[in-house]
Amino acid sequence: MAIKGKYPESTPLYAAFLSAGAIAAIAVFAVVMNMNADKLVTDTFDGVATTTTTAAVQEAPEGYVPDKELSEEMKDAAIELLASNYEVLKLYFITGMDHKDEPYGNAPEDGYYTADNSKYNSLAQLEQLVDSTFVKEQAQAIKENSLGYGPIYKERDGGELGIIQNFTPMPYEISWDNPKFEIDPVSDDECIIDVTLHNRADDAEVKLKGEIVKTEDGWRLKTILY
């Protein structure tokens, strides 16, 4: 049985979610984890206040419990990867990028317009984002066929970043404003993430579950969360 991390209460943490149009939106992550901390008890003896520490009495936890340093590492990785997941979700699934028109309004001969984006101007930049967020299999699937009709982006003949001519955003009604998540460590190199989002229409909660794993290149999400 996995034991959740060692944090005393919901802690506000901040991750920058940058849109495809380079508009920054700050999302607050509340990491909700359980902690059986020592209690501070104040007694008064002869008018002098004394503070002593008494250990909380509890049953020993079952299953895997990471040490404090690893818990912090998992928490930090979760924050970074969820922010990157949202960025990839926008770029490859639900928003895409603006593009420059071809001369005389013609359709592009190679099927890709030149992307018009102040943050990303090369295919290498985009692929580095994807590769640093997901395990290799998931990263490859996103780069090569995220929406089922081939690569969304490619390098055009002149070296410019191109976006596919017929990019059609995936319908998506979930808001990533003020998400919350819990981490549930499984082992030294595996951790479950439970994310709470909201539906844009009625603000109903939407629950997502993902898993991060520690690879030779660092922590990565096993699948994209949407």
Side-chain angles (χ1 to χ4, degrees), residues 17-20 81-97 120 126 129-130 133-134 142 146-147 152-153 167-176 197 200 208 221 223-226:
F17 284 168
L18 300 178
S19 71
L81 291 173
L82 287 174
S84 297
N85 176 90
Y86 182 55
E87 182 83 340
V88 171
L89 181 62
K90 289 185 296 180
L91 291 168
Y92 282 83
F93 293 87
I94 62 176
T95 303
M97 289 186 186
Y120 300 102
L126 284 179
L129 169 67
V130 177
T133 304
F134 302 100
I142 291 170
S146 61
L147 290 171
I152 299 302
Y153 302 97
F167 178 77
T168 305
M170 177 182 75
Y172 195 75
E173 297 300 327
I174 298 173
S175 171
W176 282 72
L197 304 171
R200 293 186 187 279
L208 302 179
L221 277 163
T223 58
I224 189 165
L225 300 180
Y226 62 90

Side-chain angles (χ1 to χ4, degrees), residues 62-177:
E62 299 178 0
Y64 172 79
V65 181
D67 60 29
K68 182 177 179 180
E69 182 178 357
L70 184 56
S71 289
E72 288 285 350
E73 181 182 322
M74 290 175 170
K75 177 196 70 175
D76 291 343
I79 293 169
E80 182 177 346
L81 291 173
L82 287 174
S84 297
N85 176 90
Y86 182 55
E87 182 83 340
V88 171
L89 181 62
K90 289 185 296 180
L91 291 168
Y92 282 83
F93 293 87
I94 62 176
T95 303
M97 289 186 186
D98 292 334
H99 67 263
K100 299 176 182 178
D101 290 335
E102 293 289 284
Y104 310 109
N106 293 331
E109 293 183 1
D110 61 356
Y112 287 77
Y113 287 109
T114 296
D116 185 9
N117 187 276
S118 60
K119 182 177 180 181
Y120 300 102
N121 53 36
S122 73
L123 183 63
Q125 281 182 294
L126 284 179
E127 294 193 339
Q128 194 280 329
L129 169 67
V130 177
D131 291 341
S132 64
T133 304
F134 302 100
V135 297
K136 290 181 180 178
E137 295 81 1
Q138 177 67 94
Q140 183 175 353
I142 291 170
K143 291 184 293 185
E144 294 182 356
N145 200 22
S146 61
L147 290 171
Y149 44 82
I152 299 302
Y153 302 97
K154 80 164 194 174
E155 184 176 300
R156 303 193 73 189
D157 290 342
E160 307 92 346
L161 174 64
I163 181 169
I164 197 165
Q165 176 183 0
N166 62 334
F167 178 77
T168 305
M170 177 182 75
Y172 195 75
E173 297 300 327
I174 298 173
S175 171
W176 282 72
D177 292 340

Side-chain angles (χ1 to χ4, degrees), residues 37-43 50-56:
D38 289 352
K39 297 179 181 179
L40 292 178
V41 180
T42 300
D43 296 314
T50 0
T51 301
T52 58
T53 303
T54 60

